[in-house]
Amino acid sequence: MINRLCVIGVGLIGGSLCRALRQAEAVQSIVGCGRNTAQLQRALELGVIDSYETDIATAVSDADVVVVAVPVGAMQKVFAAIKGHLKPGAVLTDVGSAKGSVVLAAREAFGGDEACFVPGHPIAGTEKSGVEASFAELFNDQRVILTPLEATDPMATQVVHKLWQATGAEVISLTVEHHDEVLAATSHLPHVIAYALVDTLARMHERREMFQFAAGGFRDFTRIASSDPQMWHDICLANKDALLDMIRRFSTDLAELASAIENEDSETIKTTFSRAKQARDQYC
């Protein structure tokens, strides 16, 4: 049981975490924090939080666990506001999709004193955003990756591990570098491709007809292009190196496939498609 939880950023992820922990009876009281008073008031009305503060220092001062659920581009500013205001023994974690930049922001803010900090990332979400889109079952049977640092207190890691287990998630640990490489390939690149494809079609002269006749496969494939642009802008820049490596790899493979189609190289086309289907069926 967490006596007092503070969630900074009560949107889809932060709000769903609050709902899940409340449903699991794993938290006694929840204080939300953010800049948007209307959003915080709505979270209060929905029963997602018990109270709210707009001042970060005040919000975290009495919390046992603090979860930072803001876009990765805002992490450094939030960490700087938290510094010096956590009570002894409090645990700090985050939900950022790119861990390298978050860890760097934490080190710059806390000056090497990161014993209480457990970087984390729930591999869950939808294309919707805001507290009204949150729901308690978001993390059921989903994975949460923790990337504890050498300086992280093992007890703090255990607290965060149990917190996410209470939501129904499977919790695993990776290094910061491995996390960012994996997520660049499996999450960040697909979002970039979806955004790029929809943008290409939207800028075509026949765009109305293009979208009018789009089938279910197109809608399924491009659903993630309805995600929050600011959040994904931040993620792209935060995980730039690993993402660029994956974009280059994919661009090379796509160019080779285009060449095969141009040259009517049936063998290469069928081999590529068959290999992809086999991998998709086996791993997904």
Side-chain angles (χ1 to χ4, degrees):
M1 171 67 74
I2 299 170
N3 288 328
R4 186 169 177 84
L5 173 71
C6 173
V7 176
I8 303 174
V10 191
L12 171 66
I13 300 298
S16 295
L17 176 60
C18 294
R19 289 180 186 270
L21 292 176
R22 194 183 296 282
Q23 181 172 283
E25 298 182 348
V27 63
Q28 185 169 341
S29 68
I30 304 173
V31 56
C33 183
R35 296 179 300 177
N36 189 328
T37 304
Q39 181 87 338
L40 292 170
Q41 181 61 38
R42 184 58 180 150
L44 186 64
E45 293 169 356
L46 292 170
V48 175
I49 58 177
D50 298 302
S51 61
Y52 66 81
E53 299 283 350
T54 56
D55 179 67
I56 291 177
T58 304
V60 305
S61 62
D62 195 35
D64 299 292
V65 177
V66 177
V67 179
V68 181
V70 301
V72 290
M75 290 285 182
Q76 188 169 14
K77 186 176 181 180
V78 171
F79 288 153
I82 290 173
K83 181 181 179 181
H85 297 287
L86 294 175
K87 71 178 185 179
V91 174
L92 174 66
T93 188
D94 77 296
V95 301
S97 182
K99 302 308 338 154
S101 65
V102 171
V103 169
L104 179 61
R107 285 174 174 159
E108 290 179 353
F110 302 123
D113 183 17
E114 297 97 36
C116 70
F117 181 48
V118 186
H121 177 209
I123 312 298
T126 72
E127 73 278 12
K128 299 178 181 180
S129 59
V131 68
E132 294 195 353
S134 65
F135 57 102
E137 296 77 22
L138 178 62
F139 309 109
N140 279 354
D141 300 321
Q142 302 300 313
R143 283 183 173 163
V144 172
I145 300 175
L146 303 184
T147 61
L149 312 175
E150 288 186 10
T152 302
D153 185 339
M155 291 299 294
T157 301
Q158 187 177 24
V159 168
V160 177
H161 191 281
K162 289 183 177 180
L163 176 150
W164 284 111
Q165 277 189 325
T167 71
E170 176 190 357
V171 185
I172 63 174
S173 294
L174 295 177
T175 65
V176 170
E177 294 77 13
H178 192 192
H179 169 277
D180 285 357
E181 290 171 358
V182 169
L183 269 294
T186 58
S187 176
H188 306 166
L189 177 63
H191 277 81
V192 168
I193 294 172
Y195 279 121
L197 174 59
V198 174
D199 184 59
T200 295
L201 298 185
R203 290 185 289 110
M204 293 177 66
H205 179 70
E206 307 87 352
R207 61 184 179 276
R208 183 179 297 275
E209 186 178 60
M210 289 285 185
F211 290 110
Q212 182 180 355
F213 291 103
F218 176 83
R219 290 191 294 272
D220 291 342
F221 179 75
T222 61
R223 173 186 59 81
I224 53 178
S226 292
S227 302
D228 182 358
Q230 181 63 52
M231 179 180 75
W232 282 99
H233 160 274
D234 290 358
I235 290 170
C236 286
L237 297 185
N239 200 23
K240 179 178 71 173
D241 292 342
L243 176 57
L244 284 174
D245 181 59
M246 287 308 308
I247 290 175
R248 293 185 186 106
R249 291 189 182 198
F250 178 73
S251 297
T252 298
D253 290 344
L254 188 61
E256 290 178 357
L257 183 58
S259 178
I261 294 171
E262 181 179 12
N263 297 320
E264 299 184 8
D265 183 353
S266 296
E267 187 63 30
T268 296
I269 297 169
K270 286 190 292 185
T271 297
T272 300
F273 289 177
S274 297
R275 187 169 59 232
K277 172 178 168 49
Q278 183 179 6
R280 177 63 168 76
D281 291 347
Q282 179 178 354
Y283 296 111
C284 300

